Structure formats: structure tokens, C-alpha cells
Amino acid sequence: RRCKLIKSNLKIVEECRNTVDEAATFLGGLDALVNNAGLTMPKDFNDIDEDHFNDIFYLNFRSYFFCAQQAIKHLIKRGEKLSEFKKKYNWAGGSIVNISSVHGKLGYPGHSVYASTKGAINSFTKQLSVELISKHIRVNAIAPGMVDTTLSSSLIKDKHYKDIDKAKYPLGKRYAKTNEIADLINFL
């Protein structure tokens, strides 16, 4: 297993492209892309200004779009190499996994921009899966509820989360754990 930290501002399209290219170079190609960049800043709808909207939308959705666009080139190239190696298999492919949220289907106070980005990710995932099926690239989304992370523990203190009811969570009054999400990504 190899890992490389690549520091990027994924709100900038060129940095999305460079990040994907740098990862592909480091790894010797790409088999998969996991789009997991995300930001939420709960705010009442009438208090949202253009900067707040753009900060969240550019990172949460636009980065997914342009990282996927760049990754597809690498996924196809890798698939062609694998097809040459095993002539009997006619596949290119790979996998793109987009991390969404239950907010893409359910409303929650103070999350109009965040929920909009997650709804956009869900639609984008469906559309991209149709467009890429002929290239044998699978595109899926995972839409968890609250996941137990450092970020979520600070969010819970926000006024928009004060009435959250863990009893509604199907995991038995607890938030999902990061390793549970990672296992699902690995499966896809």
C-alpha cells in the first residue's frame, strides 16, 4: 500500500486536474476515484450570501465534476492496458465513488446550500453512470447520515443540530463510523 498527501484547493478547476494527474502519476495509473471533498457551514437561508454559496458549491459539487472528468482519462488508459494484458477480457473501466449525504434527499434546517450540492451529486452520479457504462466505468454514490468524525463532533454543537435525534439512525442510536464508509467504498 502506498499513500501520498496532495495538498490542493479543489475549488479551483486546474487544481482538481493537477491533483488527479499527480495521484495517477504516483500510483502508476488509476483504478478508481473517490470524490470525498466536502464542506458544510450551517446557515439560515436568508443569511446566505454569494461567497458562502460559492464556497460550498465549488468544493462540494464542482470539484467532483472536474476531478471525475480528469480521472476518466486515466481510468480509460488503465483499462486499455489491462485489456492488452488479458486479451480475453474486453473491458476498460474502473470505478468512481461520489460521497453524498442523506441531505441530498432529506431537508435539514440551515443546510440549503449543502443539501443542494448533495442533490446535485446524486443526479450527477446517475447521469455519469449512464454516460460511462460503455467504457465499463462504474459510478456510484454513498449517502450516509452523520458520520463520527472530528468535523461532525464540532458541528453537533451548532444550533441547527440541537434537536438531532440519534434514535432515528438505523445503526442503533449512533453515528456511522469512518471505517464502515471505507468498507463500502472498497466494495464499490
Side-chain angles (χ1 to χ4, degrees):
R1 293 185 181 191
R2 297 182 304 162
C3 178
K4 180 178 184 177
L5 178 64
I6 303 170
K7 186 175 179 181
S8 302
N9 180 351
L10 296 179
K11 295 176 191 174
I12 300 169
V13 172
E14 195 57 35
E15 291 202 33
C16 292
R17 293 180 177 136
N18 292 339
T19 299
V20 171
D21 289 345
E22 189 174 338
T25 299
F26 175 75
L27 297 168
L30 288 183
D31 296 313
L33 169 71
V34 178
N35 274 320
N36 189 35
L39 170 68
T40 185
M41 295 182 288
K43 199 173 221 183
D44 293 325
F45 180 77
N46 286 329
D47 295 333
I48 295 168
D49 59 22
E50 185 178 357
D51 289 338
H52 179 92
F53 180 90
N54 287 341
D55 277 346
I56 295 174
F57 218 88
Y58 280 19
L59 182 63
N60 291 18
F61 177 69
R62 199 170 85 151
S63 69
Y64 281 38
F65 186 97
F66 289 104
C67 284
Q69 189 179 64
Q70 194 68 18
I72 289 164
K73 299 169 190 173
H74 294 286
L75 295 172
I76 291 170
K77 188 186 296 184
R78 176 71 158 216
E80 288 169 351
K81 283 184 180 178
L82 291 171
S83 291
E84 289 173 16
F85 177 69
K86 295 196 174 207
K87 298 276 187 205
K88 66 181 181 178
Y89 298 109
N90 182 21
W91 65 281
S95 178
I96 296 173
V97 179
N98 294 322
I99 305 301
S100 181
S101 166
V102 295
H103 287 263
K105 291 217 176 234
L106 306 172
Y108 202 83
H111 286 82
S112 57
V113 181
Y114 180 77
S116 298
T117 66
K118 297 306 179 175
I121 288 166
N122 295 342
S123 293
F124 173 62
T125 300
K126 291 174 196 172
Q127 180 60 35
L128 200 56
S129 68
V130 170
E131 289 190 32
L132 297 178
I133 195 165
S134 65
K135 300 187 181 338
H136 305 277
I137 297 172
R138 299 178 320 280
V139 185
N140 291 280
I142 299 172
M146 187 71 85
V147 180
D148 188 9
T149 66
T150 305
L151 175 63
S152 66
S153 64
S154 65
L155 279 175
I156 293 167
K157 296 172 187 155
D158 186 274
K159 69 176 182 173
H160 295 97
Y161 285 89
K162 69 178 174 160
D163 296 324
I164 197 163
D165 183 3
K166 283 187 183 178
K168 293 179 183 175
Y169 279 75
L171 294 175
K173 299 184 181 184
R174 69 171 179 84
Y175 301 136
K177 298 192 180 315
T178 55
N179 67 304
E180 294 167 335
I181 307 303
D183 288 346
L184 187 51
I185 291 168
N186 228 6
F187 174 76
L188 294 172

